[in-house]
């Protein structure tokens, strides 16, 4: 796929190029397309700096299947760069941080320094997939290489409950058992 303010499909075998029509969510002349790529399930992913969408190709038209934004758990509604890894997850690089979408389930995860990234956000100029499943990007402070699978596993779902079993301070147990979960703020 080739893109700027339009999306073109290039058949590398025949050399034929065709313009793909789509109903833009935003004016493509004020918000140029940042990324267009296909995942293993045949979905076409497109992003601008204010929109991320999953499309289906029907003849020469891209049909919007799902739009992703803050309501779905993303940090931003747009992206500077997308990358589709070997497992089909869509990695979304924004000025506010890194998200990833699992297209088969719709699960969205956020990744930051707590999950192992060296900076709270990545500002890539280019993102490359390495054959061993790692992702490499150039950022303002150098090169960052991470394992997509390892980082995905580090992102805990937002709805996981935390249960305290005991509290220790300076090596001494202060509270254990049921009393831990009935603590009140003072």
């Amino acid at each position: 796929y080739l893109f700027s303010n339009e999306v073109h499909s290039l058949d590398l075998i025949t050399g034929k190029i065709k313009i793909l029509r789509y109903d833009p969510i935003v004016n493509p002349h004020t918000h140029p397309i940042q990324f267009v790529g296909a995942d293993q399930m045949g979905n076409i992913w497109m992003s601008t700096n204010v929109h991320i969408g999953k499309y289906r190709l029907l003849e020469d038209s891209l049909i919007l299947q799902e739009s992703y934004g803050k309501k779905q758990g993303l940090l931003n509604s747009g992206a500077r760069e997308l990358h589709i890894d070997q497992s089909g997850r869509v990695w979304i690089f924004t000025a506010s941080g890194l998200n990833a979408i699992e297209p088969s389930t719709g699960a969205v995860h956020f990744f930051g320094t707590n999950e192992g990234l060296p900076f709270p956000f990545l500002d890539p100029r280019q993102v490359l997939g390495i054959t061993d499943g790692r992702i490499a990007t150039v950022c303002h402070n150098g090169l960052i290489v991470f394992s997509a699978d390892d980082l995905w596993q580090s992102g805990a779902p937002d709805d996981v409950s935390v249960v305290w079993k005991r509290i220790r301070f300076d090596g001494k147990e202060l509270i254990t058992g049921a009393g831990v979960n009935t603590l009140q703020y003072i």
Side-chain angles (χ1 to χ4, degrees), residues 30-48:
T30 58
H31 300 286
I33 298 167
Q34 302 289 322
F35 175 87
V36 177
D39 66 19
Q40 293 91 331
M41 297 185 302
N43 299 308
I44 309 296
W45 291 84
M46 186 183 334
S47 72
T48 70

Side-chain angles (χ1 to χ4, degrees), residues 5-172:
N5 290 339
E6 295 179 330
V7 179
H8 297 80
S9 173
L10 168 63
D11 185 323
L12 295 175
I13 296 172
T14 65
K16 291 186 180 183
I17 298 174
K18 65 180 175 180
I19 295 176
L20 300 179
R21 294 177 297 162
Y22 67 99
D23 186 17
I25 302 298
V26 295
N27 183 342
H29 299 288
T30 58
H31 300 286
I33 298 167
Q34 302 289 322
F35 175 87
V36 177
D39 66 19
Q40 293 91 331
M41 297 185 302
N43 299 308
I44 309 296
W45 291 84
M46 186 183 334
S47 72
T48 70
N49 59 350
V50 296
H51 168 73
I52 297 170
K54 179 173 77 171
Y55 294 80
R56 273 291 195 204
L57 183 60
L58 182 62
E59 297 178 12
D60 66 345
S61 295
L62 291 171
I63 310 301
L64 182 64
Q65 300 295 303
E66 192 157 358
S67 187
Y68 287 88
K70 290 183 178 183
K71 284 184 183 179
Q72 291 75 22
L74 296 182
L75 295 169
N76 288 335
S77 295
R80 293 188 178 178
E81 189 76 35
L82 295 183
H83 177 76
I84 302 168
D85 72 15
Q86 293 175 343
S87 297
R89 293 175 297 239
V90 179
W91 295 85
I92 302 159
F93 296 82
T94 73
S96 301
L98 177 63
N99 278 123
I101 300 170
E102 170 58 62
S104 62
T105 64
V108 175
H109 289 290
F110 165 76
F111 301 95
T113 53
N114 288 341
E115 291 76 26
L117 292 179
F119 309 110
F121 69 92
L122 302 177
D123 184 15
R125 303 296 185 256
Q126 184 176 15
V127 179
L128 299 171
I130 302 173
T131 56
D132 65 2
R134 292 181 299 158
I135 296 174
T137 184
V138 177
C139 289
H140 65 288
N141 287 346
L143 180 68
I144 295 174
V145 180
F146 62 90
S147 166
D149 289 335
D150 290 348
L151 192 57
W152 180 262
Q153 295 301 323
S154 74
D158 293 333
D159 61 353
V160 173
S161 298
V162 175
V163 177
W164 298 92
K165 300 244 179 199
R166 61 183 161 178
I167 297 177
R168 292 175 14 146
F169 179 75
D170 199 22
K172 298 176 187 165

